[in-house]
Amino acid sequence: MSDPLSHALLERIATALERLAPPAPPAPDFAAADAYVWNPAGPRLDAVPRVNRVEMVLLKGIDRARDTLIENTRRFAEGLPANNALLWGSRGMGKSSLVKAAHATVNRQRVASGLSANLKLVEIHREDIESLPDLMAMVRTTDLRFIVFCDDLSFDHDDTSYKSLKAVLEGGIEGRPDNVIFYATSNRRHLLPRDMMENERSTAINPGEAVEEKVSLSDRFGLWLGFHKCSQDEYLAMVQGYAEHFGLKADADTMRAEALEWATTRGSRSGRVAWQFVQDLAGRLGVRLEA
C-alpha cells in the first residue's frame, strides 16, 4: 500500500508545478482574418485585418514567376502536392509583393468557384525562425492551409538558426505538417553570404562538406524563382501600369522622361523605383493613391 503522506506530498508537488508552468496559449481565431503575424512571445498569431499588398495586375515583368507561384499555391490550397518556394534575386522586383498577391488571388479564385477561402498567410520574422516548431504545433491540427512567409531571409556569420529551418522544412521526426508550406524571399540564392561560404572552404578540414551543409538549406526549397533587374522597357511598363490603374492624367512623353530621370538618380530600375516615382507623380498631381 502506498503511504498516504507520500501521496499527499506528490499531489502538492504536482499542484505547485502546474502553477509554475506557463498557461497554454489560447487557440487562434482563424475566422478573424486571412493573414497573421507570428508572435513567439505569446506564443500567438496576431490577426492582420488589412494586408499591405499590391494587386496582381500591377506586377509587371515577372509573368513566369507569377504563373508558377500561383499554380503552386493553388495546388497547395486544394490539398495537392506543392513545393516550398524561394523567391530570390534583385531587390525591389516584387518578390514579397508576389507572395501576398498570390495568396489573395488563390483565395479569390476559390470563392469564385464556390469553395472556401481556406488559405491563411502567416508572416514570421527572420529573427523568430528558431520558434518555427512552436508555430507548426499551433497550426498542425486545423483543417486550414497555411503559407508561412519569411521576407528577406538570410543568415550571417556564426548564425546557426538556419538549422531550425532545415529541420522544419523536411527534417526531424514530425517534419513539416501537410497543411503548411514555406515561402521565403531573399537577395541571395543560397541564403548565405558568399564570403561566408568562401571562409568555410578555406578553414574547414573538409571544405566540400562544410559548404555542402550550409548550401543544403536552399535545397529544401523545391521551387526557386529568380528575379532579375528589369529592362528600361519593363520599367516604363511598370510606371505606365501604375499610372493607368490610379487614373493619373499626365503627358505620356513628359512622364516617360521624368520616370527615366528618376531611375537614373537612384542608379537602378525596379518595380519599387517605379512605384516611388508614381507616388511622387501622384503627389504633384494632387491625386490620392487608393486601390
Side-chain angles (χ1 to χ4, degrees), residues 8-9 167 219 254 262 280 290:
L9 179 60
D219 293 341
T254 301
W262 184 274
D280 179 78
E290 298 177 356

PDB file of all heavy atoms in Angstrom, residues 8-9 167 219 254 262 280 290:
ATOM      1  N   ALA A   8       0.006  12.476  -0.606  1.00  0.00           N
ATOM      2  CA  ALA A   8      -0.388  13.871  -0.439  1.00  0.00           C
ATOM      3  C   ALA A   8       0.746  14.816  -0.837  1.00  0.00           C
ATOM      4  O   ALA A   8       0.524  15.875  -1.436  1.00  0.00           O
ATOM      5  CB  ALA A   8      -0.802  14.127   1.009  1.00  0.00           C
ATOM      6  N   LEU A   9       1.975  14.429  -0.509  1.00  0.00           N
ATOM      7  CA  LEU A   9       3.130  15.255  -0.862  1.00  0.00           C
ATOM      8  C   LEU A   9       3.299  15.340  -2.370  1.00  0.00           C
ATOM      9  O   LEU A   9       3.576  16.416  -2.930  1.00  0.00           O
ATOM     10  CB  LEU A   9       4.401  14.676  -0.215  1.00  0.00           C
ATOM     11  CG  LEU A   9       5.704  15.415  -0.510  1.00  0.00           C
ATOM     12  CD1 LEU A   9       5.625  16.858  -0.010  1.00  0.00           C
ATOM     13  CD2 LEU A   9       6.891  14.692   0.127  1.00  0.00           C
ATOM     14  N   ALA A 167      15.335  21.747 -40.315  1.00  0.00           N
ATOM     15  CA  ALA A 167      14.611  20.661 -39.650  1.00  0.00           C
ATOM     16  C   ALA A 167      13.114  20.754 -39.889  1.00  0.00           C
ATOM     17  O   ALA A 167      12.438  19.745 -40.096  1.00  0.00           O
ATOM     18  CB  ALA A 167      14.910  20.697 -38.147  1.00  0.00           C
ATOM     19  N   ASP A 219      18.319  23.728 -50.812  1.00  0.00           N
ATOM     20  CA  ASP A 219      17.769  22.540 -51.456  1.00  0.00           C
ATOM     21  C   ASP A 219      16.425  22.134 -50.860  1.00  0.00           C
ATOM     22  O   ASP A 219      15.679  21.368 -51.477  1.00  0.00           O
ATOM     23  CB  ASP A 219      18.749  21.366 -51.331  1.00  0.00           C
ATOM     24  CG  ASP A 219      20.009  21.598 -52.131  1.00  0.00           C
ATOM     25  OD1 ASP A 219      19.983  22.455 -53.035  1.00  0.00           O
ATOM     26  OD2 ASP A 219      21.030  20.940 -51.842  1.00  0.00           O
ATOM     27  N   THR A 254       6.222  63.379 -71.270  1.00  0.00           N
ATOM     28  CA  THR A 254       6.784  64.002 -70.067  1.00  0.00           C
ATOM     29  C   THR A 254       6.955  62.978 -68.956  1.00  0.00           C
ATOM     30  O   THR A 254       7.993  62.934 -68.275  1.00  0.00           O
ATOM     31  CB  THR A 254       5.871  65.149 -69.585  1.00  0.00           C
ATOM     32  OG1 THR A 254       5.731  66.116 -70.617  1.00  0.00           O
ATOM     33  CG2 THR A 254       6.445  65.811 -68.345  1.00  0.00           C
ATOM     34  N   TRP A 262      14.172  59.771 -62.948  1.00  0.00           N
ATOM     35  CA  TRP A 262      14.007  59.282 -61.580  1.00  0.00           C
ATOM     36  C   TRP A 262      14.846  58.024 -61.356  1.00  0.00           C
ATOM     37  O   TRP A 262      15.539  57.886 -60.338  1.00  0.00           O
ATOM     38  CB  TRP A 262      12.528  58.991 -61.328  1.00  0.00           C
ATOM     39  CG  TRP A 262      12.195  58.575 -59.929  1.00  0.00           C
ATOM     40  CD1 TRP A 262      12.250  57.321 -59.410  1.00  0.00           C
ATOM     41  CD2 TRP A 262      11.749  59.424 -58.864  1.00  0.00           C
ATOM     42  NE1 TRP A 262      11.876  57.320 -58.102  1.00  0.00           N
ATOM     43  CE2 TRP A 262      11.557  58.595 -57.729  1.00  0.00           C
ATOM     44  CE3 TRP A 262      11.485  60.782 -58.755  1.00  0.00           C
ATOM     45  CZ2 TRP A 262      11.110  59.093 -56.508  1.00  0.00           C
ATOM     46  CZ3 TRP A 262      11.036  61.279 -57.533  1.00  0.00           C
ATOM     47  CH2 TRP A 262      10.858  60.444 -56.426  1.00  0.00           C
ATOM     48  N   ASP A 280       5.470  59.993 -56.247  1.00  0.00           N
ATOM     49  CA  ASP A 280       5.885  61.385 -56.402  1.00  0.00           C
ATOM     50  C   ASP A 280       5.007  62.096 -57.436  1.00  0.00           C
ATOM     51  O   ASP A 280       4.556  63.231 -57.224  1.00  0.00           O
ATOM     52  CB  ASP A 280       7.349  61.449 -56.828  1.00  0.00           C
ATOM     53  CG  ASP A 280       7.839  62.877 -57.034  1.00  0.00           C
ATOM     54  OD1 ASP A 280       8.116  63.565 -56.036  1.00  0.00           O
ATOM     55  OD2 ASP A 280       7.946  63.298 -58.207  1.00  0.00           O
ATOM     56  N   GLU A 290      -5.485  55.309 -54.113  1.00  0.00           N
ATOM     57  CA  GLU A 290      -6.384  54.395 -53.432  1.00  0.00           C
ATOM     58  C   GLU A 290      -6.732  53.246 -54.363  1.00  0.00           C
ATOM     59  O   GLU A 290      -7.078  53.459 -55.521  1.00  0.00           O
ATOM     60  CB  GLU A 290      -7.670  55.118 -53.005  1.00  0.00           C
ATOM     61  CG  GLU A 290      -7.423  56.249 -52.013  1.00  0.00           C
ATOM     62  CD  GLU A 290      -8.692  56.984 -51.661  1.00  0.00           C
ATOM     63  OE1 GLU A 290      -9.737  56.646 -52.253  1.00  0.00           O
ATOM     64  OE2 GLU A 290      -8.638  57.890 -50.818  1.00  0.00           O
TER      65      GLU A 290
END
